[in-house]
Amino acid sequence: MISVLSGGVGAARLLRALRGTLEAKELTAVVNVGDDLVLHGLSICPDLDTISYTLSGLNNEELGWGLKGETWRVMKELGDLGGESWFGLGDRDLATHLYRTQRFSEGATKTQVAQELCAKFGVDIRLLPVTNDVVSTIFSTEIGTLSFQEYFVRHHHGVAVNSISFSGAAAATPTPETIAALTASSRIVIAPSNPLISIEPILQVPGIREILRERHSDVVAVSPIINGAALKGPADRLLNELGHDVSCVGVAKYYQGLVGTFIIDEQDAKHENEIKALGMNVIVTTTIMANPDHAKQLAAAVLS
Ligand code: GDP
Ligand code: CA
């Protein structure tokens, strides 16, 4: 079995590629919950939903988030009422959040609801939120303190960030399912997700970083930074603002001590020796998963 520390889009793509090679029971995703929010009274888990929607083939490729064939009647009416409509929730997507909110009110955990939604969407791998507790990623920025979605969606990750914190993380407990999966896995993979806001909140849950440190020779990470830039989102900008090298080397340094093998893109082959000098094995391959053949090649490298 392998476990994959997962954010949203970058992780969903890698999980889809790995599922092409591995049996469902061989694959577990340990998923970030730092982006989760309550809005309009609804419990929303963006990274869990991005993965479920992508693995079920129901994801909206044009938008890069949400469900395909989406309509927006509720948002339109809400906007007309003067309600908060900056965070887009499509009509189909709303059903997911209504379902989750109802189940939470009945006492179900995030882990249980993730499993139920996977079954309903036909997702056959295991998606495990790293914790059932509330962990919230908070940005200290040039315009003040912002919640994750205020930074990411309302301000289009366009304001300068001074620091990032993870409210609730120190007191959170990892789920027993997560600990069991990470302990039993022959290999732990860090997906090509944003290191600072998708992977860090997972590592901040007590016990997780320690497992990776102990098992670092079994840990494989894929760089989300290719040729000095993120394919999508603010990973490059945030690395720069928080004082890291904006390159696959900066990401490798960030994971030093936790990772035994680091996978970089062919475009970054020149950095191979710099990363080896950090005490990691390096695999150079194609890592851009837009092309299914390349995704398959990356999955093979992750499993090699
Ligand atoms: P989010 O939670 O949806 O923002 O997604 P993640 O944190 O999982 O992923 C965002 C990161 O994924 C960005 O830094 C992208 O550069 C990276 N990414 C997206 N697609 C790919 C891909 O095909 N290959 C690699 N190597 N990185 C990718
Ligand atoms: Ca996310």
Side-chain angles (χ1 to χ4, degrees):
M1 203 244 300
I2 75 162
S3 292
V4 182
L5 303 194
S6 299
V9 172
R13 289 183 176 158
L14 181 64
L15 289 164
R16 184 171 58 189
L18 288 169
R19 178 64 185 91
T21 307
L22 293 172
E23 299 276 339
K25 64 176 187 331
E26 296 299 321
L27 190 54
T28 297
V30 172
V31 183
N32 172 42
V33 297
D35 308 8
D36 295 4
L37 71 157
V38 175
L39 191 63
H40 319 300
L42 299 177
S43 295
I44 304 169
C45 300
D47 285 351
L48 283 163
D49 290 344
T50 292
I51 296 172
S52 303
Y53 293 169
T54 303
L55 291 177
S56 62
L58 296 171
N59 60 305
N60 190 320
E61 293 281 356
E62 294 85 64
L63 278 181
W65 53 274
L67 286 159
K68 64 165 79 155
E70 191 55 281
T71 55
W72 304 93
R73 291 193 61 174
V74 175
M75 278 292 114
K76 165 78 174 61
E77 298 283 343
L78 184 62
D80 291 348
L81 289 174
E84 292 221 24
S85 56
W86 56 270
F87 191 78
L89 294 167
D91 300 328
R92 296 188 71 190
D93 192 24
L94 275 165
T96 302
H97 314 312
L98 287 166
Y99 177 86
R100 175 182 288 117
T101 304
Q102 172 67 22
R103 294 290 293 124
F104 283 176
S105 77
E106 293 164 359
T109 64
K110 208 170 266 189
T111 302
Q112 286 169 327
V113 178
Q115 198 182 336
E116 291 168 9
L117 286 170
C118 280
K120 287 169 208 287
F121 287 122
V123 172
D124 55 7
I125 72 163
R126 222 156 43 126
L127 295 195
L128 299 176
V130 60
T131 176
N132 288 320
D133 299 327
V134 175
V135 173
S136 304
T137 301
I138 310 277
F139 294 85
S140 163
T141 79
E142 59 182 344
I143 60 163
T145 302
L146 299 176
S147 71
F148 185 91
Q149 302 299 347
E150 284 170 337
Y151 167 74
F152 209 91
V153 178
R154 195 170 206 166
H155 295 283
H156 312 287
H157 45 74
V159 294
V161 171
N162 306 317
S163 63
I164 306 173
S165 60
F166 306 95
S167 166
T173 310
T175 68
E177 292 87 347
T178 293
I179 297 297
L182 293 177
T183 311
S185 290
S186 55
R187 182 166 304 183
I188 298 171
V189 179
I190 301 181
S193 289
N194 189 315
L196 301 168
I197 56 176
S198 290
I199 302 301
E200 183 63 28
I202 300 176
L203 298 174
Q204 288 271 330
V205 173
I208 305 296
R209 191 184 301 274
E210 290 71 15
I211 293 177
L212 265 71
R213 208 181 292 284
E214 259 167 48
R215 301 206 53 196
H216 68 271
S217 54
D218 300 321
V219 179
V220 180
V222 181
S223 178
I225 300 292
I226 298 172
N227 196 19
L231 294 181
K232 188 173 172 285
D236 42 13
R237 181 179 171 144
L238 287 172
L239 284 166
N240 178 48
E241 286 169 354
L242 298 178
H244 304 282
D245 300 348
V246 187
S247 68
C248 60
V249 181
V251 179
K253 283 183 186 159
Y254 195 80
Y255 290 144
Q256 200 173 10
L258 305 179
V259 166
T261 302
F262 197 70
I263 301 182
I264 61 174
D265 195 82
E266 285 159 349
Q267 297 178 49
D268 287 314
K270 59 180 177 295
H271 293 299
E272 185 174 353
N273 287 333
E274 255 176 291
I275 297 172
K276 279 187 176 157
L278 300 172
M280 297 175 184
N281 301 315
V282 178
I283 298 176
V284 182
T285 185
T286 171
T287 68
I288 301 179
M289 293 177 280
N291 167 330
D293 282 337
H294 291 180
K296 206 168 159 184
Q297 226 172 299
L298 177 60
V302 166
L303 298 173
S304 69

